[in-house]
Coordinates of all heavy atoms in Angstrom, one line a residue:
A210 N -2.2 1.8 1.4 CA -0.9 1.7 2.0 C -0.2 0.3 1.6 O 1.0 0.2 1.5 CB -0.9 1.8 3.5
N211 N -1.0 -0.7 1.3 CA -0.5 -2.0 1.0 C -0.2 -2.2 -0.5 O 0.1 -3.2 -1.0 CB -1.4 -3.1 1.5 CG -1.5 -3.1 3.0 OD1 -0.6 -2.8 3.7 ND2 -2.7 -3.4 3.4
G212 N -0.5 -1.1 -1.3 CA -0.3 -1.2 -2.7 C -1.5 -1.8 -3.5 O -1.4 -2.0 -4.6
E213 N -2.6 -2.0 -2.8 CA -3.8 -2.5 -3.4 C -4.6 -1.4 -4.0 O -4.8 -0.4 -3.4 CB -4.7 -3.2 -2.3 CG -4.6 -4.7 -2.4 CD -5.6 -5.3 -1.3 OE1 -5.7 -4.8 -0.2 OE2 -6.3 -6.2 -1.7
W214 N -5.2 -1.6 -5.2 CA -6.1 -0.6 -5.7 C -7.4 -0.6 -4.9 O -8.0 -1.7 -4.7 CB -6.4 -1.0 -7.2 CG -5.3 -0.7 -8.1 CD1 -4.0 -0.5 -7.8 CD2 -5.4 -0.7 -9.5 NE1 -3.2 -0.4 -9.0 CE2 -4.1 -0.5 -10.0 CE3 -6.4 -0.8 -10.4 CZ2 -3.8 -0.4 -11.4 CZ3 -6.1 -0.7 -11.8 CH2 -4.8 -0.5 -12.2
V215 N -7.9 0.5 -4.5 CA -9.1 0.6 -3.8 C -10.2 1.3 -4.6 O -11.4 1.2 -4.2 CB -8.9 1.3 -2.4 CG1 -8.0 0.5 -1.5 CG2 -8.4 2.7 -2.6
A216 N -9.9 2.1 -5.6 CA -10.9 2.9 -6.3 C -10.3 3.2 -7.7 O -9.1 3.3 -7.9 CB -11.3 4.1 -5.6
L217 N -11.2 3.4 -8.7 CA -10.9 3.9 -10.0 C -11.7 5.2 -10.2 O -12.9 5.2 -10.0 CB -11.3 2.9 -11.0 CG -10.8 1.5 -10.9 CD1 -11.3 0.6 -12.0 CD2 -9.3 1.5 -10.9
V218 N -11.0 6.2 -10.6 CA -11.6 7.5 -10.8 C -11.2 8.0 -12.2 O -10.0 8.1 -12.5 CB -11.2 8.6 -9.7 CG1 -11.9 9.9 -9.9 CG2 -11.4 8.0 -8.3
G219 N -12.1 8.4 -13.0 CA -11.8 8.9 -14.4 C -12.4 10.2 -14.6 O -13.6 10.5 -14.3
F220 N -11.6 11.1 -15.2 CA -12.1 12.5 -15.6 C -12.0 12.7 -17.1 O -11.1 12.1 -17.7 CB -11.3 13.5 -14.8 CG -11.5 13.6 -13.4 CD1 -10.8 12.8 -12.5 CD2 -12.6 14.4 -12.9 CE1 -11.1 12.9 -11.1 CE2 -12.8 14.4 -11.5 CZ -12.1 13.7 -10.7
A221 N -12.8 13.5 -17.6 CA -12.8 13.8 -19.0 C -13.2 15.3 -19.2 O -13.5 16.0 -18.3 CB -13.7 12.9 -19.8
S222 N -13.1 15.7 -20.5 CA -13.5 17.1 -20.8 C -15.0 17.2 -20.5 O -15.8 16.3 -20.7 CB -13.3 17.4 -22.2 OG -11.9 17.2 -22.5
P223 N -15.5 18.4 -20.1 CA -16.9 18.6 -19.8 C -17.7 18.7 -21.1 O -17.2 19.0 -22.2 CB -16.9 20.0 -19.1 CG -15.7 20.7 -19.6 CD -14.7 19.6 -19.9
A224 N -19.0 18.6 -20.9 CA -20.0 18.8 -22.0 C -20.0 20.2 -22.4 O -19.8 21.1 -21.5 CB -21.4 18.3 -21.6
L225 N -20.1 20.5 -23.7 CA -20.1 21.9 -24.1 C -21.3 22.7 -23.6 O -21.3 23.8 -23.3 CB -20.0 22.0 -25.7 CG -18.7 21.6 -26.3 CD1 -18.8 21.7 -27.8 CD2 -17.6 22.5 -25.8
S226 N -22.4 21.9 -23.5 CA -23.6 22.6 -23.0 C -24.3 21.7 -22.0 O -24.6 20.5 -22.3 CB -24.6 22.8 -24.2 OG -25.8 23.4 -23.8
C227 N -24.6 22.2 -20.8 CA -25.3 21.5 -19.8 C -26.2 22.6 -19.1 O -25.7 23.4 -18.3 CB -24.3 20.9 -18.8 SG -25.2 20.1 -17.4
G228 N -27.5 22.6 -19.4 CA -28.3 23.7 -18.9 C -28.3 24.0 -17.4 O -28.0 25.1 -17.1
P229 N -28.4 23.0 -16.6 CA -28.4 23.3 -15.1 C -27.0 23.8 -14.7 O -27.0 24.8 -13.9 CB -28.6 21.9 -14.5 CG -29.4 21.2 -15.5 CD -28.9 21.6 -16.8
R230 N -25.9 23.3 -15.2 CA -24.6 23.8 -14.8 C -24.4 25.2 -15.3 O -24.0 26.1 -14.6 CB -23.5 22.9 -15.5 CG -22.1 23.4 -15.2 CD -21.1 22.8 -16.2 NE -21.3 23.3 -17.5 CZ -20.9 22.7 -18.6 NH1 -20.3 21.5 -18.5 NH2 -21.2 23.2 -19.8
D231 N -24.8 25.5 -16.6 CA -24.6 26.8 -17.2 C -25.5 27.8 -16.5 O -25.0 29.0 -16.2 CB -25.0 26.7 -18.7 CG -24.1 25.8 -19.5 OD1 -23.0 25.4 -19.0 OD2 -24.5 25.4 -20.6
R232 N -26.7 27.5 -16.1 CA -27.5 28.5 -15.3 C -26.9 28.7 -13.9 O -26.9 29.8 -13.4 CB -29.0 28.0 -15.2 CG -29.7 28.1 -16.5 CD -31.2 27.8 -16.3 NE -31.5 26.4 -16.0 CZ -31.5 25.4 -16.8 NH1 -31.3 25.6 -18.1 NH2 -31.8 24.2 -16.4
F233 N -26.4 27.7 -13.3 CA -25.9 27.8 -11.9 C -24.6 28.7 -11.9 O -24.5 29.6 -11.1 CB -25.5 26.4 -11.4 CG -24.9 26.5 -10.0 CD1 -25.6 26.7 -8.9 CD2 -23.5 26.4 -9.9 CE1 -25.0 26.8 -7.6 CE2 -22.9 26.4 -8.6 CZ -23.6 26.6 -7.5
I234 N -23.7 28.5 -12.9 CA -22.5 29.3 -13.0 C -22.8 30.7 -13.5 O -22.2 31.6 -13.0 CB -21.5 28.6 -13.9 CG1 -21.0 27.3 -13.3 CG2 -20.3 29.5 -14.2 CD1 -20.1 26.4 -14.1
G235 N -23.7 30.8 -14.4 CA -24.1 32.2 -14.9 C -23.2 32.8 -15.8 O -23.1 34.0 -16.0
W236 N -22.3 32.0 -16.5 CA -21.4 32.6 -17.5 C -22.2 33.0 -18.8 O -23.1 32.3 -19.2 CB -20.4 31.5 -18.0 CG -19.4 31.2 -16.9 CD1 -19.0 31.9 -15.9 CD2 -18.6 30.0 -16.9 NE1 -18.0 31.3 -15.2 CE2 -17.7 30.1 -15.8 CE3 -18.5 28.9 -17.7 CZ2 -16.8 29.1 -15.5 CZ3 -17.6 27.9 -17.4 CH2 -16.7 28.0 -16.3
S237 N -21.7 34.0 -19.4 CA -22.2 34.3 -20.8 C -21.6 33.3 -21.7 O -20.7 32.6 -21.3 CB -21.7 35.7 -21.2 OG -20.3 35.7 -21.4
Q238 N -22.2 33.2 -22.9 CA -21.7 32.2 -23.8 C -20.2 32.4 -24.2 O -19.5 31.4 -24.3 CB -22.5 32.1 -25.1 CG -22.2 31.0 -26.0 CD -23.2 30.8 -27.1 OE1 -24.0 31.7 -27.4 NE2 -23.1 29.7 -27.9
E239 N -19.8 33.6 -24.3 CA -18.4 33.9 -24.6 C -17.5 33.5 -23.5 O -16.5 32.9 -23.7 CB -18.3 35.4 -24.9 CG -16.9 35.9 -25.1 CD -16.8 37.4 -25.3 OE1 -17.7 38.0 -25.8 OE2 -15.7 37.9 -24.8
T240 N -17.9 33.8 -22.2 CA -17.1 33.5 -21.1 C -17.0 32.0 -20.9 O -16.0 31.4 -20.6 CB -17.7 34.1 -19.8 OG1 -17.7 35.5 -20.0 CG2 -16.9 33.8 -18.6
Q241 N -18.2 31.3 -21.2 CA -18.2 29.8 -21.1 C -17.2 29.2 -22.0 O -16.5 28.3 -21.6 CB -19.6 29.4 -21.4 CG -19.8 27.9 -21.4 CD -21.2 27.4 -21.8 OE1 -22.0 28.2 -22.0 NE2 -21.3 26.1 -21.9
M242 N -17.2 29.6 -23.2 CA -16.3 29.0 -24.2 C -14.8 29.3 -23.8 O -13.9 28.4 -24.1 CB -16.5 29.6 -25.6 CG -17.8 29.1 -26.2 SD -17.8 27.3 -26.4 CE -19.3 26.9 -25.4
R243 N -14.5 30.4 -23.2 CA -13.1 30.7 -22.7 C -12.7 29.8 -21.5 O -11.6 29.4 -21.4 CB -13.0 32.1 -22.3 CG -12.6 33.1 -23.5 CD -12.1 34.4 -23.0 NE -12.5 34.8 -21.6 CZ -13.5 35.6 -21.3 NH1 -14.3 36.1 -22.3 NH2 -13.8 36.0 -20.1
R244 N -13.7 29.6 -20.6 CA -13.4 28.9 -19.3 C -13.7 27.4 -19.2 O -13.2 26.8 -18.3 CB -14.1 29.7 -18.2 CG -13.6 31.1 -18.0 CD -14.3 31.7 -16.9 NE -13.8 33.1 -16.7 CZ -14.3 34.0 -15.9 NH1 -15.3 33.6 -15.1 NH2 -13.8 35.2 -15.8
L245 N -14.4 26.9 -20.2 CA -14.7 25.5 -20.1 C -13.5 24.6 -20.0 O -13.6 23.5 -19.4 CB -15.6 25.1 -21.2 CG -17.1 24.9 -20.9 CD1 -17.9 24.7 -22.1 CD2 -17.3 23.8 -19.9
R246 N -12.4 25.0 -20.6 CA -11.2 24.2 -20.5 C -10.7 24.0 -19.1 O -9.9 23.1 -18.9 CB -10.1 24.7 -21.4 CG -9.6 26.1 -21.0 CD -8.7 26.7 -22.1 NE -8.3 28.0 -21.8 CZ -7.1 28.3 -21.5 NH1 -6.1 27.4 -21.6 NH2 -6.8 29.6 -21.2
F247 N -11.2 24.8 -18.2 CA -10.7 24.6 -16.8 C -11.7 23.7 -16.0 O -11.5 23.5 -14.8 CB -10.6 26.0 -16.1 CG -9.6 26.9 -16.8 CD1 -10.1 28.0 -17.5 CD2 -8.3 26.6 -16.8 CE1 -9.1 28.9 -18.1 CE2 -7.4 27.4 -17.4 CZ -7.8 28.6 -18.1
V248 N -12.7 23.2 -16.6 CA -13.7 22.4 -15.9 C -13.4 20.9 -16.2 O -13.1 20.5 -17.3 CB -15.1 22.7 -16.4 CG1 -16.1 21.8 -15.7 CG2 -15.5 24.2 -16.1
A249 N -13.4 20.1 -15.1 CA -13.1 18.7 -15.2 C -14.5 18.0 -14.9 O -15.1 18.3 -14.0 CB -12.1 18.2 -14.3
S250 N -14.8 17.0 -15.8 CA -16.0 16.2 -15.6 C -15.7 14.9 -15.0 O -14.9 14.1 -15.6 CB -16.7 16.1 -17.0 OG -17.9 15.3 -16.8
N251 N -16.2 14.5 -13.9 CA -16.0 13.2 -13.3 C -16.9 12.2 -14.0 O -18.1 12.2 -13.9 CB -16.3 13.3 -11.8 CG -16.2 11.9 -11.1 OD1 -16.9 11.6 -10.2 ND2 -15.2 11.2 -11.5
Q252 N -16.2 11.4 -14.9 CA -17.0 10.4 -15.7 C -17.2 9.1 -15.0 O -18.2 8.4 -15.2 CB -16.2 10.2 -17.0 CG -16.1 11.5 -17.8 CD -17.4 11.9 -18.4 OE1 -18.2 11.1 -18.9 NE2 -17.7 13.2 -18.3
R253 N -16.2 8.7 -14.2 CA -16.3 7.4 -13.5 C -15.8 7.5 -12.1 O -14.8 8.2 -11.9 CB -15.5 6.3 -14.3 CG -15.9 6.0 -15.7 CD -17.2 5.2 -15.7 NE -17.5 4.8 -17.1 CZ -18.3 5.4 -17.9 NH1 -18.9 6.5 -17.5 NH2 -18.6 5.0 -19.1
Y254 N -16.4 6.8 -11.2 CA -16.0 6.7 -9.8 C -16.4 5.3 -9.3 O -17.6 5.1 -9.1 CB -16.6 7.8 -9.0 CG -16.0 7.9 -7.6 CD1 -14.7 8.2 -7.4 CD2 -16.8 7.7 -6.5 CE1 -14.2 8.3 -6.1 CE2 -16.3 7.8 -5.2 CZ -15.0 8.1 -5.0 OH -14.5 8.2 -3.8
C255 N -15.5 4.4 -9.1 CA -15.9 3.1 -8.7 C -15.0 2.6 -7.5 O -13.8 2.6 -7.6 CB -15.6 2.2 -9.9 SG -16.0 0.4 -9.5
I256 N -15.6 2.3 -6.4 CA -14.9 1.7 -5.3 C -14.8 0.2 -5.5 O -15.8 -0.5 -5.7 CB -15.6 2.0 -3.9 CG1 -15.8 3.5 -3.7 CG2 -14.9 1.3 -2.8 CD1 -14.5 4.3 -3.5
L257 N -13.5 -0.3 -5.5 CA -13.3 -1.7 -5.8 C -13.5 -2.5 -4.5 O -13.5 -2.0 -3.4 CB -11.8 -1.8 -6.2 CG -11.5 -1.1 -7.5 CD1 -10.0 -1.2 -7.8 CD2 -12.2 -1.6 -8.7
P258 N -13.7 -3.8 -4.7 CA -13.9 -4.7 -3.5 C -12.9 -4.5 -2.4 O -13.2 -4.5 -1.2 CB -13.9 -6.1 -4.1 CG -14.3 -5.9 -5.5 CD -13.8 -4.6 -5.9
A259 N -11.6 -4.3 -2.8 CA -10.6 -4.1 -1.8 C -10.7 -2.8 -1.0 O -10.2 -2.7 0.1 CB -9.2 -4.1 -2.4
G260 N -11.5 -1.9 -1.5 CA -11.7 -0.6 -0.9 C -12.9 -0.4 -0.1 O -13.3 0.6 0.4
R261 N -13.7 -1.5 0.0 CA -15.0 -1.4 0.7 C -14.8 -1.4 2.2 O -15.1 -2.4 2.9 CB -15.9 -2.5 0.2 CG -16.2 -2.3 -1.3 CD -17.5 -2.9 -1.7 NE -17.6 -2.5 -3.1 CZ -17.9 -3.4 -4.1 NH1 -18.1 -4.6 -3.8 NH2 -18.1 -2.9 -5.3
R262 N -14.4 -0.2 2.7 CA -14.2 0.0 4.1 C -14.8 1.4 4.4 O -15.0 2.2 3.6 CB -12.7 0.0 4.5 CG -12.0 -1.4 4.2 CD -10.6 -1.4 4.7 NE -9.7 -0.4 4.0 CZ -9.1 -0.8 2.9 NH1 -9.2 -1.9 2.4 NH2 -8.3 0.1 2.4
K263 N -15.0 1.6 5.7 CA -15.6 2.9 6.1 C -14.8 4.1 5.7 O -13.6 4.0 5.9 CB -15.8 2.9 7.7 CG -16.5 4.0 8.2 CD -16.7 3.9 9.7 CE -17.4 5.1 10.2 NZ -17.6 5.0 11.7
N264 N -15.4 5.0 5.1 CA -14.8 6.3 4.7 C -13.9 6.2 3.5 O -13.2 7.2 3.2 CB -14.1 7.0 5.9 CG -15.1 7.3 7.0 OD1 -16.2 7.7 6.7 ND2 -14.6 7.2 8.2
T265 N -13.8 5.1 2.8 CA -12.9 5.0 1.7 C -13.3 6.0 0.6 O -12.4 6.7 0.0 CB -12.8 3.6 1.1 OG1 -12.3 2.7 2.1 CG2 -11.9 3.5 -0.1
A266 N -14.6 6.0 0.2 CA -15.0 6.9 -0.9 C -14.7 8.3 -0.6 O -14.2 9.0 -1.5 CB -16.5 6.7 -1.1
S267 N -15.0 8.8 0.6 CA -14.7 10.2 1.0 C -13.2 10.5 0.9 O -12.8 11.5 0.4 CB -15.2 10.5 2.4 OG -16.6 10.4 2.4
A268 N -12.4 9.6 1.4 CA -10.9 9.8 1.4 C -10.4 9.8 0.0 O -9.5 10.7 -0.3 CB -10.2 8.7 2.2
V269 N -10.8 8.9 -0.9 CA -10.4 8.9 -2.2 C -10.8 10.2 -3.0 O -10.0 10.8 -3.7 CB -10.9 7.6 -3.0 CG1 -10.7 7.7 -4.5 CG2 -10.3 6.4 -2.4
M270 N -12.0 10.6 -2.8 CA -12.5 11.8 -3.5 C -11.7 13.0 -3.0 O -11.3 13.9 -3.8 CB -14.0 12.0 -3.3 CG -14.5 13.1 -4.2 SD -14.2 13.1 -5.9 CE -15.3 11.8 -6.5
S271 N -11.5 13.1 -1.7 CA -10.7 14.2 -1.1 C -9.3 14.3 -1.7 O -8.9 15.4 -2.2 CB -10.6 14.1 0.4 OG -9.8 15.1 0.9
K272 N -8.6 13.2 -1.8 CA -7.3 13.1 -2.3 C -7.2 13.4 -3.8 O -6.3 14.1 -4.4 CB -6.6 11.8 -2.1 CG -6.3 11.6 -0.6 CD -5.7 10.3 -0.3 CE -5.4 10.1 1.2 NZ -4.8 8.9 1.5
T273 N -8.3 12.9 -4.5 CA -8.4 13.2 -6.0 C -8.6 14.7 -6.3 O -7.9 15.3 -7.1 CB -9.5 12.4 -6.6 OG1 -9.3 11.0 -6.3 CG2 -9.6 12.6 -8.1

Side-chain angles (χ1 to χ4, degrees):
N211 298 323
E213 256 185 316
W214 288 14
V215 296
L217 304 177
V218 184
F220 289 91
S222 302
L225 290 177
S226 178
C227 176
R230 177 200 65 204
D231 299 341
R232 285 189 295 278
F233 177 79
I234 294 174
W236 287 340
S237 68
Q238 189 171 9
E239 178 185 324
T240 303
Q241 177 184 356
M242 289 300 121
R243 271 196 339 263
R244 294 186 178 169
L245 257 173
R246 63 190 175 113
F247 299 112
V248 176
S250 178
N251 179 214
Q252 297 291 316
R253 299 284 188 265
Y254 187 66
C255 178
I256 300 297
L257 300 172
R261 295 204 174 132
R262 297 184 295 271
K263 187 177 180 181
N264 300 322
T265 300
S267 296
V269 168
M270 188 54 75
S271 174
K272 290 178 183 181
T273 302

